[in-house]
Amino acid sequence: MAAVSTVLAVCFFGGVNSQTPVQVKSLVDNLLSKYDKRIRPVENQALSVTLDVSFSLISIIGVDEVNEKLETSGHLTILWIDSLLKWDPASNNGISTIFLPQNDIWKPDIVLGNGIRKFEEFGGSFYNVEVDNFGDVLWKPFQVFETQCSIYTTYFPYDREVCEIVFVVWSYTIAEVEISRSTDGINLNEYKESGVWEITRTDVKISKESLESKVTFSIHIKRKPFYYVFNIMIPILFLGMLTILVFALPGDAGEKMSYAMTVFLSFAVFLTIINTLLPVSSETTPVLSIYLLMQMTMGFLVLFITALQIRLHHRDTSVPISKPFRFMVRLMHYFHCRKSCKISPAKNKDSEERDNFDSVEETSQEEENRPEWKDVTSAIDFLAFWSFFLLYLCLTVYLFATIIRGS
């Protein structure tokens, strides 16, 4: 019964072809016996070999802003037809696919066109190519690519960059070897997300304008700003506020100058640390760097004004006060008066307001007639605090508005 079933199965499904190592070796020997890998694999040598080149990105290893370099890992998927590697599977025990070492057959000499390191062959002696009975050859060389990438860090850390990876057929002209298409473009199926950069989109462009054939893979990336916001921008904002608070200390506190100097030195040390993190470029200047420079300028002015205040605070009372300082004192009293005289009782409102106004005016006149140097330093504190606070707000709003608009 079992024998009858076997016979029926063979008759119905056809014969069973076995593919032994000897048979595969025989096929390979027959294919390569007269094969010369120095010759382009087309029967009509007047025609070009057409390539289908795609790029599978595995990871973005890093972006070197200083040297303007992009480092990625991935592999190419290169397809072409080798007319000298065709066979009939029916005459070869049903063998439809074989694997051959990449150095045993002809392959295109594709190189990294915008690489930083020296030219070197893709793949290696241990790489195999897949060949089917129609002559279709599949080659997937893996490599770590170091390519040039222009970095524009104006809106750091919210900057967006466009990096290109260019592959060129080096020796052959476009009439001999031509990159005709890129079926998958940049394949991100195996991509591992970077902790610093996010891919927004990818493009592919095939150029046939010159004698050489090349394909350009463009990767549009944007920086993830979380780390830089919490470790750079927020501490800078806090230090800027501490600089302004120098004017909140009274002139006779004894620690005014030391506080101002401590804040300034802390700012300088912090700037030295974060400058190692900021991108270095001669073509573009980050808005954040301009903001830091303005903060340092504010710190210098605060130190200068504080030193002048201490000098004036301890000046002898017999020294007359000049008109600019008297004007500053009057201006301070004017703002203080507006704040303190804003609310008056409801009863006898008109008469009491006149009395208050007269009394305030008389008091102001008396104080203007005999102001002291401590009043001058208080006026400087009051005016400088609000002036620097408004300047700080304007610079901060400009920083965030510029970065958000640019990103």
Side-chain angles (χ1 to χ4, degrees):
M1 188 65 180
V4 174
S5 300
T6 303
V7 172
L8 291 176
V10 171
C11 293
F12 184 78
F13 294 104
V16 178
N17 294 324
S18 62
Q19 299 174 3
T20 64
V22 175
Q23 293 169 341
V24 176
K25 181 179 182 302
S26 177
L27 174 60
V28 173
D29 290 341
N30 290 334
L31 291 174
L32 300 181
S33 59
K34 296 181 181 181
Y35 189 91
D36 192 339
K37 62 182 180 181
R38 298 172 297 178
I39 308 300
R40 289 186 305 115
V42 286
E43 295 178 355
N44 185 357
Q45 290 292 303
L47 300 177
S48 63
V49 179
T50 58
L51 306 178
D52 183 347
V53 181
S54 301
F55 178 59
S56 296
L57 181 63
I58 304 299
S59 65
I60 296 177
I61 299 176
V63 178
D64 188 344
E65 292 92 349
V66 177
N67 299 313
E68 295 190 323
K69 179 178 68 174
L70 170 69
E71 188 174 5
T72 57
S73 64
H75 64 81
L76 291 173
T77 300
I78 307 174
L79 295 168
W80 71 92
I81 296 177
D82 192 322
S83 301
L84 307 179
L85 294 178
K86 295 182 179 180
W87 70 90
D88 182 11
S91 303
N92 292 274
N93 299 285
I95 301 175
S96 60
T97 303
I98 59 174
F99 292 88
L100 299 174
Q102 71 170 40
N103 294 330
D104 286 357
I105 65 172
W106 179 93
K107 60 183 184 299
D109 55 345
I110 295 180
V111 298
L112 190 60
N114 62 337
I116 294 178
R117 297 184 297 181
K118 64 179 181 179
F119 284 168
E120 56 185 7
E121 182 184 19
F122 287 158
S125 58
F126 60 93
Y127 275 75
N128 289 329
V129 296
E130 181 181 350
V131 186
D132 66 14
N133 59 286
F134 297 103
D136 294 332
V137 183
L138 172 62
W139 183 33
K140 300 172 67 175
F142 178 91
Q143 190 168 317
V144 174
F145 303 98
E146 293 183 2
T147 54
Q148 299 173 353
C149 179
S150 298
I151 305 295
Y152 300 96
T153 56
T154 303
Y155 305 108
F156 174 87
Y158 290 88
D159 52 321
R160 296 171 179 263
E161 313 296 342
V162 180
C163 296
E164 296 181 345
I165 304 176
V166 182
F167 296 100
V168 182
V169 179
W170 187 249
S171 300
Y172 297 100
T173 65
I174 195 172
E176 297 166 335
V177 178
E178 174 188 1
I179 300 176
S180 62
R181 60 177 180 170
S182 179
T183 303
D184 295 329
I186 298 182
N187 188 349
L188 300 177
N189 292 336
E190 304 176 69
Y191 177 70
K192 297 179 181 178
E193 191 71 26
S194 171
V196 181
W197 298 95
E198 177 185 350
I199 297 178
T200 56
R201 68 186 179 94
T202 60
D203 297 321
V204 59
K205 178 184 177 182
I206 297 175
S207 303
K208 302 179 182 180
E209 295 145 359
S210 59
L211 292 178
E212 61 185 12
S213 181
K214 66 179 179 181
V215 57
T216 302
F217 298 101
S218 301
I219 305 175
H220 298 251
I221 56 178
K222 70 175 182 179
R223 195 189 303 268
K224 296 179 180 179
F226 182 83
Y227 172 83
Y228 300 97
V229 169
F230 277 84
N231 291 278
I232 295 180
M233 299 184 70
I234 292 180
I236 289 174
L237 297 179
F238 287 161
L239 280 177
M241 285 299 300
L242 289 178
T243 302
I244 300 174
L245 289 178
V246 172
F247 298 113
L249 297 176
D252 54 358
E255 298 294 333
K256 193 177 184 70
M257 190 64 184
S258 60
Y259 175 80
M261 182 63 71
T262 301
V263 174
F264 181 80
L265 291 178
S266 300
F267 214 166
V269 171
F270 185 76
L271 286 178
T272 304
I273 296 174
I274 66 175
N275 277 337
T276 60
L277 301 176
L278 287 176
V280 179
S281 176
S282 299
E283 296 183 358
T284 59
T285 301
V287 178
L288 185 59
S289 296
I290 300 176
Y291 181 79
L292 293 177
L293 180 60
M294 296 302 298
Q295 287 280 21
M296 286 294 295
T297 305
M298 286 177 56
F300 170 78
L301 293 177
V302 167
L303 276 174
F304 179 81
I305 295 174
T306 302
L308 177 63
Q309 278 184 286
I310 296 176
R311 176 85 175 174
L312 296 177
H313 187 78
H314 294 88
R315 180 169 288 187
D316 190 86
T317 55
S318 61
V319 179
I321 300 176
S322 59
K323 289 184 178 180
F325 291 137
R326 289 175 178 272
F327 175 77
M328 295 174 64
V329 174
R330 289 198 301 270
L331 190 62
M332 180 187 67
H333 287 309
Y334 170 76
F335 284 110
H336 283 171
C337 176
R338 290 191 61 182
K339 184 177 180 181
S340 60
C341 301
K342 197 171 183 180
I343 302 175
S344 59
K347 296 180 180 180
N348 299 325
K349 184 176 181 181
D350 295 334
S351 60
E352 288 184 7
E353 283 183 353
R354 279 197 302 270
D355 294 338
N356 288 337
F357 179 81
D358 294 336
S359 63
V360 169
E361 186 177 6
E362 292 175 359
T363 304
S364 299
Q365 290 178 354
E366 292 177 358
E367 290 177 352
E368 289 174 5
N369 292 332
R370 53 178 186 278
E372 298 180 356
W373 285 109
K374 64 179 182 179
D375 299 323
V376 174
T377 57
S378 297
I380 292 176
D381 274 334
F382 176 79
L383 297 176
F385 177 86
W386 289 110
S387 299
F388 277 95
F389 182 73
L390 292 176
L391 178 60
Y392 170 81
L393 287 181
C394 292
L395 289 176
T396 304
V397 170
Y398 169 77
L399 169 68
F400 284 97
T402 303
I403 289 179
I404 293 175
R405 184 175 66 252
S407 61

